[in-house]
Amino acid sequence: MRIILLGPPGAGKGTVAELLTVRHGIKQISTGDILRSEVKNGTELGTAAEGYMRRGELVPDSLILKIMENRFLEEDCRKGFILDGFPRTILQAQSLKTILAGLSMKIDAVVNLEASDDLILRRLTSRRTCSNPGCQAIYNIYTKPPKVEGICDRCGSPTIQRDDETPEAIRQRLATYQEKTAPLIDYYKNDPAFLSIPSLTPEPVADEIARLVSERSR
Ligand SMILES: [Zn+2]
């Protein structure tokens, strides 16, 4: 099962991806994670990527795609993978398509998680994160409050609202998403693997994705 997850920040991509990895034994791949692991392992591609990162430059698409291509072939991706947060641009989507064709792999589902701006604002502004860098437990003032208000259950440090989760910051992130990434939905819309699902709670969304993928592979 190979899946691309699209959707605005706060649509719940991470949670849905996690459910699918646990249930179907597939691997979640994010560009941040694969870059970090290449750098850590000191591979040739990792060393090249580290140079860009150290200079504060964006790692070029060609390098990211090369690293991704190697990643797809690893043993833990045998049952499939979920791309979360990639591709971000139409150019990346086109290159990804070429790479997958070269590996004789196909994407079973391109899933757009739909969420209104209001829902995202409510979800993200209600999030609190443990201020202890070694803990970073995540809470939600409505759905998963800590036992003592403002105090992390796990380590007792104060919980805080992250700077990028204030209403102003979230409106800005949504505007950036609309401008940069939303055009991807138009790019994929006519692909037979494209599905658009309202992002309500993660379980039914994960069920629906699995159902549609198995229906399509029949
Ligand atoms: Zn904590």
Side-chain angles (χ1 to χ4, degrees):
M1 190 190 278
R2 301 188 193 97
I3 298 170
I4 294 174
L5 272 184
L6 303 173
K13 296 192 291 295
T15 320
V16 170
E18 207 179 306
L19 271 176
L20 289 167
T21 58
V22 171
R23 288 186 187 172
H24 302 284
I26 59 181
K27 193 73 194 164
Q28 181 177 359
I29 298 179
S30 84
T31 44
D33 290 343
I34 60 171
L35 279 175
R36 274 189 293 274
S37 105
E38 289 287 315
V39 170
K40 202 175 113 209
N41 295 331
T43 64
E44 198 178 318
L45 293 170
T47 310
E50 194 181 17
Y52 290 99
M53 292 191 276
R54 206 183 299 126
R55 292 191 296 273
E57 292 168 19
L58 277 180
V59 178
D61 279 358
S62 55
L63 193 51
I64 292 178
L65 284 151
K66 192 69 207 153
I67 292 173
M68 212 164 255
E69 182 175 9
N70 291 342
R71 190 70 191 81
F72 293 157
L73 293 168
E74 278 176 39
E75 178 59 24
D76 60 357
C77 288
R78 204 170 30 90
K79 289 189 176 166
F81 53 76
I82 303 176
L83 295 179
D84 164 15
F86 188 90
R88 279 188 206 275
T89 63
I90 291 174
L91 214 60
Q92 288 178 342
Q94 288 165 336
S95 309
L96 178 66
K97 194 176 176 185
T98 310
I99 284 176
L100 289 170
L103 298 172
S104 302
M105 290 179 179
K106 73 170 176 51
I107 293 291
D108 299 297
V110 179
V111 181
N112 177 40
L113 291 184
E114 302 163 16
S116 68
D117 286 4
D118 281 349
L119 178 69
I120 292 166
L121 268 167
R122 199 164 34 165
R123 268 188 193 167
L124 293 184
T125 55
S126 57
R127 193 138 78 175
R128 297 293 178 273
T129 307
C130 174
S131 57
N132 171 4
C135 173
Q136 297 188 343
I138 291 171
Y139 299 93
N140 183 294
I141 52 173
Y142 305 123
T143 59
K144 195 194 165 199
K147 290 195 188 79
V148 180
E149 195 186 328
I151 299 292
C152 177
D153 290 346
R154 227 192 272 166
C155 73
S157 304
T159 59
I160 51 164
Q161 182 169 44
R162 284 175 20 179
D163 289 345
D164 59 350
E165 291 178 345
T166 61
E168 304 71 41
I170 289 159
R171 281 198 191 88
Q172 185 53 49
R173 281 164 71 189
L174 287 172
T176 307
Y177 172 81
Q178 282 305 332
E179 183 198 338
K180 298 257 163 66
T181 309
L184 262 186
I185 292 162
D186 282 328
Y187 171 82
Y188 281 119
K189 210 159 52 188
N190 298 318
D191 191 312
F194 182 77
L195 324 159
S196 201
I197 309 179
S199 152
L200 301 166
T201 45
E203 279 88 2
V205 171
D207 290 344
E208 180 69 358
I209 293 171
R211 194 183 62 77
L212 289 161
V213 168
S214 84
E215 208 167 70
R216 269 175 43 78
S217 59
R218 222 172 271 149

